[in-house]
């Protein structure tokens, strides 16, 4: 791993337990910050209610009752063309719900998660934005507090990614922590080879992340699943590694998509990455850095040598002297 990445890992990796709610409330009040939690949701009636209710209970109601102020000022669900009862369930659990198509219709409409996050910028008022997926099965309000910690503690941090064990559970056997298939098979290899400074970001696609509003309002947002990798690459390009942090949030389980659907996501990520290369950048990193809690970081060389076409070499056989 590059030296600057190793230094970044030490300086910019935290755990959610580094901050308590009272500490965050104090920092928030000193800074005069306003916090919006945004949950993009498409057909998530089975899980969105639990996510909204958990954040509302712990970070709005309990924080207010126990410490005299809510940590989260706005809890917003962006309903991304759901065909089920997502909007109703989210509203009943205590979220403000906006149909994505009803937000600034003059700006047109696209399907996708990135579109939901981009449109959320027009209906929220927080200077700190926390994004949380709606399909979580294993999670907790510490996802939100953990992501807020670095933004409230370090003025140079602009974007914070969550990382966690990725529980893979298809319901047909023992769950493993080998989830995050697109993360491991596409996103991390792409970053390691072409943006090696970002090789220390353990979950570049984490749907749980936080950012300052000026950053979010300054970057281009792909309308689909490319939103996370684009935000990471663009934040790094504009503000450097120091502006990025990551926080250990423990473990996360979510609804799994099928391989063929994840392949579309993978294609979106590749297109976004390609669009961020002005010209062929050449491979910049030669190894893949993989992280597991059990083994820590492991460096895997990526075989990158290419042999020239063999035809001309076969035709020009070496002299017996050269062959020796
Ligand atoms: O058109 C869409 C598609 C998804 N979602 C919501 O976005 C969240 C994440 O979508 P999901 O389909 O669960 O994505 P994952 O398969 O979990 O993909 C991972 O990788 C993606 C690509 O980086 C990230 O956007 C995700 O947050 C991350 O969990 C969920 O709340 C969805 O309901 C929308 O709002 N609109
Ligand atoms: O982050 C990812 O790679 C995708 O969300 C797929 O995750 P899964 O393999 O755990 O379903």
């Amino acid at each position: 791993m590059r030296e600057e990445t190793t230094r970044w890992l030490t300086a910019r990796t935290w755990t959610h337990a580094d901050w308590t709610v009272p500490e965050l409330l104090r920092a928030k009040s000193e800074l005069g910050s306003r916090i919006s939690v945004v949950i993009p949701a498409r057909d998530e009636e089975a899980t969105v209610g639990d996510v909204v209710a958990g954040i509302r209970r712990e970070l709005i109601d309990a924080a207010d009752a126990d410490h005299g102020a809510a940590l989260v000022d706005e809890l917003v669900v962006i309903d991304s063309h759901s065909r089920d009862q997502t909007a109703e369930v989210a509203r009943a659990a205590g979220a403000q719900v906006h149909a994505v198509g009803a937000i600034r219709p003059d700006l047109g409409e696209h399907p996708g998660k990135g579109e939901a996050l981009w449109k959320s910028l027009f209906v929220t008022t927080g200077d700190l934005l926390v994004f949380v997926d709606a399909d979580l099965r294993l999670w907790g309000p510490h996802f939100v507090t953990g992501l807020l910690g670095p933004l409230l503690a370090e003025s140079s941090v602009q974007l914070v990614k969550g990382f966690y064990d990725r529980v893979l559970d298809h319901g047909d056997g023992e769950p493993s922590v080998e989830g995050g298939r697109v993360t491991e098979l596409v996103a991390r290899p792409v970053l390691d080879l072409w943006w090696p400074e970002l090789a220390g970001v353990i979950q570049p696609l984490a749907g749980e992340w936080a950012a300052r509003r000026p950053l979010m309002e300054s970057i281009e947002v792909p309308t689909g699943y490319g939103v996370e990798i684009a935000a990471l690459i663009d934040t790094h390009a504009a503000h450097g590694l120091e502006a990025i942090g990551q926080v250990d949030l423990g473990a996360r389980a979510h609804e799994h998509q099928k391989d063929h659907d994840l392949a579309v996501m993978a294609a979106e990520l590749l297109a976004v990455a390609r669009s961020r290369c002005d010209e062929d950048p050449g491979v910049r990193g030669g190894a893949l850095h993989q992280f597991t809690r059990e083994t820590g970081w492991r460096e895997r060389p990526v075989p990158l040598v290419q042999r020239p076409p063999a035809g001309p070499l076969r035709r020009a056989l070496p002299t017996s002297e050269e062959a020796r």
Side-chain angles (χ1 to χ4, degrees):
M1 200 174 280
R2 297 186 165 210
E3 210 183 309
E4 63 172 312
T5 305
T6 314
R7 271 203 308 274
W8 173 82
L9 272 173
T10 310
R12 287 281 182 265
T13 304
W14 291 275
T15 166
H16 68 88
D18 289 337
W19 294 281
T20 61
V21 170
E23 282 166 351
L24 294 175
L25 279 169
R26 208 170 309 124
K28 179 189 171 203
S29 144
E30 276 165 21
L31 294 165
S33 289
R34 187 169 163 79
I35 294 168
S36 305
V37 172
V38 172
I39 303 173
R42 182 188 60 182
D43 296 336
E44 307 288 11
E45 65 180 9
T47 46
V48 70
D50 179 59
V51 176
V52 169
I55 295 172
R56 170 137 222 126
R57 188 174 57 244
E58 298 296 323
L59 305 181
I60 298 181
D61 299 339
D64 202 12
D66 299 345
H67 311 290
L71 184 66
V72 169
D73 300 293
E74 277 176 339
L75 180 50
V76 173
V77 167
I78 307 293
D79 179 20
S80 174
H81 306 289
S82 297
R83 290 150 301 179
D84 67 4
Q85 300 296 301
T86 292
E88 292 77 3
V89 172
R91 205 170 283 119
Q96 280 173 45
V97 180
H98 297 270
V100 68
I103 303 171
R104 291 294 305 265
D106 58 305
L107 297 172
E109 208 181 320
H110 296 277
K113 179 188 175 182
E115 173 83 353
L117 298 194
W118 187 71
K119 285 280 182 89
S120 79
L121 300 175
F122 298 91
V123 291
T124 52
T125 58
D127 55 306
L128 302 182
L129 297 146
V130 184
F131 304 112
V132 179
D133 282 354
D135 65 335
L136 303 180
R137 297 246 173 223
L138 176 62
W139 76 286
H142 67 280
F143 279 23
V144 175
T145 53
L147 291 167
L148 283 170
L151 290 176
L152 288 168
E154 296 280 345
S155 57
S156 57
V157 172
Q158 305 223 30
L159 181 148
V160 182
K161 296 294 301 186
F163 73 92
Y164 20 53
D165 288 338
R166 295 289 305 264
V167 178
L168 184 66
D169 184 4
H170 284 302
D172 49 5
E174 278 292 291
S176 77
V177 287
E178 300 209 332
R181 290 162 286 169
V182 181
T183 301
E184 298 303 332
L185 297 176
V186 179
R188 302 202 73 267
V190 161
L191 293 178
D192 266 73
L193 293 184
W194 284 283
W195 286 272
E197 299 82 4
L198 292 169
V201 180
I202 296 170
Q203 290 290 326
L205 304 188
E208 291 66 43
W209 53 294
R212 297 188 191 278
R213 177 175 292 274
L215 174 76
M216 288 309 294
E217 292 190 356
S218 70
I219 56 179
E220 274 186 16
V221 177
T223 52
Y225 285 117
V227 51
E228 276 83 18
I229 201 161
L232 198 57
I233 292 170
D234 294 351
T235 302
H236 174 245
H239 304 284
L241 260 188
E242 198 201 25
I244 299 168
Q246 65 181 351
V247 179
D248 188 345
L249 301 177
R252 170 197 195 258
H254 73 146
E255 290 294 314
H256 299 294
Q257 298 198 52
K258 294 192 168 61
D259 287 359
H260 277 187
D261 294 327
L262 289 180
V264 179
M265 178 191 291
E268 290 179 59
L269 302 190
L270 291 171
V272 162
R274 183 71 190 82
S275 74
R276 262 80 186 153
C277 300
D278 301 336
E279 52 196 43
D280 181 355
V283 172
R284 298 185 56 232
L288 188 56
H289 298 89
Q290 296 174 328
F291 178 84
T292 65
R293 235 180 256 288
E294 267 178 3
T295 57
W297 286 100
R298 184 172 168 212
E299 180 166 311
R300 317 279 302 271
V302 180
L304 291 168
V305 174
Q306 299 195 53
R307 294 300 224 157
L313 297 173
R314 285 191 69 214
R315 285 189 286 277
L317 284 173
T319 62
S320 52
E321 194 118 306
E322 282 166 340
R324 246 180 271 128

